[in-house]
Amino acid sequence: MTRMKRYFHTHCLWVLILFLFGVSLAMGQDSPIKTGLPDAALDIEVIPQKIKDLEISIEKASRSQGDKLVQEFGIKPEDEEIRLSNLISLKTSYEKLAAAVEGIEGIEKENSEFQARYEHYRQNGMAKRPPYPLTFHDSLLAERFDLEKNGNTIDISMDLVRKSMEDDITELEAVNKSLRLHRELLDKAQEEEKSKIVWAIDMATLVQEYLKIRISARKTELKKMALEKELITQQMGMINEQEAFVRSNLQYDDEDLARQLANIDQLKESLHKEMGKNKADLNAAEIKWMAARQRFEKATQVKERDFSDANLKAREEWRKTYSVMLEIKEETLVMLDRQKAAWQQRYFLIKETLSPDQLSTLQKQTERIIGNINQSLQIQQTYLVSIQKKTGALQGLMQNEGIEPEIKRSLSSQIDALRLRLEKRLEHQSVILSTDQIEKRLFDQIKSVKGKLTVTDHVSGLKEKFREFWRIEIWVVDDRPVSLGKILVAFLILAVGFIVARFVLNVVRVRFLEKSQFKETTASAVHKMLSYAAYLLVVLFALRIVNIPLTAFAFLGGAVAIGVGFGAQNLINNFISGFMILGERPINIGDLIEVDGLLGKVEEIGARCTRVRTGENVHKLVPNSSFLERNITNWTLSDNTIRTKISLGVAYGSPVRIVEKLLVSAAKENSRVLKTPEPFVLFSEFGDNALVFELYFWVMIHLVLEKKQVESAIRFKIDELFNKEGIVIAFPQSDVHLDQKQPFAVQIIKPE
């Protein structure tokens, strides 16, 4: 009996194994097991039959769940559920594949229809004949925008499908490897283990086929998307041709412009009416909020305060909502005004011809407005996110158990207020987006017009820019502008005028002043006065030519006064001193002067300082104020004749009369010493070591070293005459007297 039972169980097990193995072979007979990528080719006609077969298998698998025979031979219910799930997934993959195939057929049909429509357009042109209004052009732009957006969406979808297909291929390779391993194990397994291995092979075969069909479906989807992208590209080509043709045939249309402006005015009128209602709602909300606040302040019990607090928050939310609605409508009115201006500018570009500079200005203005609109969009997005978060938080509070009905009603009221605010924000966002679209179309239109400008237009634009640069106002005096161009012309006149004035003044100095009877100092003073007058006339002439009033420099008065007070005292002092020197003439050009031990010849008296050349041929610049504030020695103020002296001492006992005679003789023998007045000698004093004599004589000098040269020559002569007469020129000496009452003590010490 036991042997029969064991035989029966073994027989049933093999029947079950053969059944499952047959099902797996039937499911995978059209999809051979391979490593790597699945076959791309698939018979499309068998897909419906595959789906029907899978439906039957799913139904059988559903009925077999929990079968005692299945459980008896070690197949768990969870494994049967996994198998059922794999069958369902396989059926879904076949359905997706069928849908993708149908989609390809639809795209091919749509492509054929488009080709026919495009060919008709190429032969007959657009149905609507030119000229075209801006609204028709905008409809083409909107259609092109939708196509671009669809194309971008397809690109993103294709990337996602490719990534998913790569994951499926990787998973399929792992399943193929597992399937080969299990088949190898089946050949070596014991009888009691073969049932589990056959079940694993059946499961792996299902997953293998599921992955192959899903990869085929994804490939088909990629093919369909590629066809869609190709169709969109062809449609974009036709739209671009139509848009270019329409743009070249745009015409100013009063009716279209009036219609657009009327629509905007109608929206503004309705907004004004709504604003009146919003103000009334806001006032009512303010009253309810004040009442709720008073109730909250009067509440004493905890429960009453909770109810009052919830009600106060609800009233506050409604008050804020109505306030925001009013602000949104005011901002919407601004946006509508911007739309109105944009429509007028767009039609103005069609009607009128603007210069390149005007187009650039309008382009910058439009670009700035687009930037402001983008900022408004970002702000609106922030508001929307904030409202959604707050609404979600309130909804979470309402889900709490044990919440009081009155508090729940207050929370619901807050949520209603937030939803209304969210709705109005979304409406305002749509207005901002429409304004942004109109501004961008205006920007593109400006770029299109600029692209059609010729070289002549650009040259004209450069001229206009130069004129604007030339007319830049630096400052305004008595409603008379002082422009940059006037200042440049004035500087040009000043440069030319100064060159001409300097040339004329040099001619006057060379041909008249130097040949006149004027002294050199007088001629220099006249030349400087004429120079100052000429330069002043040039400045006044330049200002008169460019029509710049002298009052334009009135602001410089304060600056000059401050400069004189703080930094220009010495400058003005020296300048005025120069005029006083030229007028009073305490020194003249060519005079030999001595200032603070500085001996030199005056070469030039300038406006700020006087140039003096010393005997070492070094030029010194002496401030003019020094000649009026300090003691000055002018050796040649009235004439060039000066008296000088030589002092010397002779030894005591020398014949003083002979010394006097020799000194006078030495002076007279020098040809550069004047005969009149005659030289003379004074016996000055009895010195400590000598008899002191002073020789005085007169010379005429023109150079700094002439005085010293004469004195040196006379000293040589004196030394020669004294040597002949045996007269000794004294030198400092001292007599030492010794006390001789006692003898000197002399001691010789031997060194150690």
Side-chain angles (χ1 to χ4, degrees), residues 451-467:
K452 296 178 181 178
L453 295 175
T454 62
V455 177
T456 305
D457 296 329
H458 286 291
V459 172
S460 177
L462 291 175
K463 291 181 179 178
E464 187 64 28
K465 286 184 178 180
F466 180 77
R467 291 193 190 97

Side-chain angles (χ1 to χ4, degrees), residues 523-737:
S524 176
V526 172
H527 181 265
K528 288 187 178 297
M529 291 297 180
L530 291 177
S531 299
Y532 295 148
Y535 294 151
L536 179 61
L537 290 176
V538 170
V539 172
L540 295 176
F541 177 74
L543 296 177
R544 181 68 184 86
I545 290 297
V546 298
N547 200 25
I548 298 178
L550 290 176
T551 52
F553 303 97
F555 72 94
L556 293 176
V560 172
I562 294 174
V564 171
F566 289 97
Q569 292 184 8
N570 293 332
L571 178 64
I572 301 300
N573 186 19
N574 291 323
F575 185 76
I576 295 174
S577 298
F579 280 103
M580 295 179 68
I581 291 173
L582 291 174
E584 295 181 3
R585 292 188 293 176
I587 59 173
N588 298 304
I589 296 176
D591 285 353
L592 296 177
I593 62 173
E594 184 176 355
V595 182
D596 294 337
L598 175 66
L599 180 63
K601 183 178 182 180
V602 177
E603 289 192 344
E604 182 184 4
I605 302 174
R608 187 187 66 84
C609 61
T610 297
R611 188 175 71 214
V612 178
R613 186 171 63 179
T614 65
E616 292 80 12
N617 199 30
V618 177
H619 288 88
K620 300 288 185 180
L621 301 178
V622 182
N624 290 331
S625 59
S626 299
F627 295 102
L628 302 179
E629 297 173 355
R630 301 179 185 178
N631 294 325
I632 306 299
T633 301
N634 190 339
W635 293 91
T636 58
L637 175 61
S638 57
D639 53 38
N640 292 337
T641 302
I642 65 171
R643 189 188 70 181
T644 184
K645 71 175 181 176
I646 296 176
S647 298
L648 75 160
V650 297
Y652 275 92
S654 300
V656 293
R657 289 299 178 181
I658 295 175
V659 171
E660 178 186 14
K661 188 181 298 184
L662 292 175
L663 291 176
V664 173
S665 175
K668 288 183 177 180
E669 289 181 8
N670 193 301
S671 61
R672 301 178 68 177
V673 175
L674 298 179
K675 304 302 181 183
T676 305
E678 293 183 353
F680 62 92
V681 176
L682 294 180
F683 190 166
S684 179
E685 62 176 321
F686 294 97
D688 293 337
N689 302 302
L691 303 174
V692 180
F693 291 87
E694 292 180 350
L695 171 62
Y696 292 90
F697 54 91
W698 295 81
V699 294
M700 182 174 291
I701 60 175
H702 298 279
L703 299 176
V704 175
L705 288 178
E706 285 183 344
K707 173 176 173 291
K708 293 183 178 182
Q709 289 173 347
V710 173
E711 291 174 351
S712 176
I714 292 177
R715 287 189 180 96
F716 279 118
K717 189 64 177 177
I718 291 173
D719 182 70
E720 180 184 350
L721 294 176
F722 278 15
N723 287 333
K724 289 181 180 180
E725 296 294 333
I727 298 174
V728 178
I729 297 177
F731 54 88
Q733 57 185 347
S734 299
D735 294 334
V736 179
H737 298 276

Side-chain angles (χ1 to χ4, degrees), residues 391-416 419:
T391 303
L394 293 175
Q395 288 175 343
L397 291 176
M398 289 185 66
Q399 301 300 324
N400 294 336
E401 296 181 359
I403 189 172
E404 296 291 338
E406 188 170 347
I407 295 179
K408 194 171 185 178
R409 284 194 298 272
S410 297
L411 292 175
S412 178
S413 179
Q414 290 185 57
I415 292 173
D416 292 339
R419 285 175 177 171

Side-chain angles (χ1 to χ4, degrees), residues 60-67 70-71 77 80-82 84-85:
K60 289 181 179 181
S62 300
R63 289 200 303 267
S64 66
Q65 284 188 348
D67 190 281
V70 173
Q71 296 179 8
E80 185 65 21
E81 289 178 3
I82 294 173
L84 178 61
S85 176

Side-chain angles (χ1 to χ4, degrees), residues 397-456:
L397 291 176
M398 289 185 66
Q399 301 300 324
N400 294 336
E401 296 181 359
I403 189 172
E404 296 291 338
E406 188 170 347
I407 295 179
K408 194 171 185 178
R409 284 194 298 272
S410 297
L411 292 175
S412 178
S413 179
Q414 290 185 57
I415 292 173
D416 292 339
L418 289 171
R419 285 175 177 171
L420 179 59
R421 197 188 308 170
L422 180 65
E423 178 184 350
K424 297 303 178 182
R425 287 286 184 191
L426 289 173
E427 291 177 358
H428 182 56
Q429 188 177 34
S430 65
V431 175
I432 296 176
L433 288 172
S434 62
T435 307
D436 181 65
Q437 187 180 42
I438 294 175
E439 292 292 342
K440 287 181 178 178
R441 288 174 180 173
L442 172 60
F443 186 80
D444 293 338
Q445 190 174 347
I446 295 170
K447 289 176 62 178
S448 176
V449 174
K450 290 182 69 175
K452 296 178 181 178
L453 295 175
T454 62
V455 177
T456 305

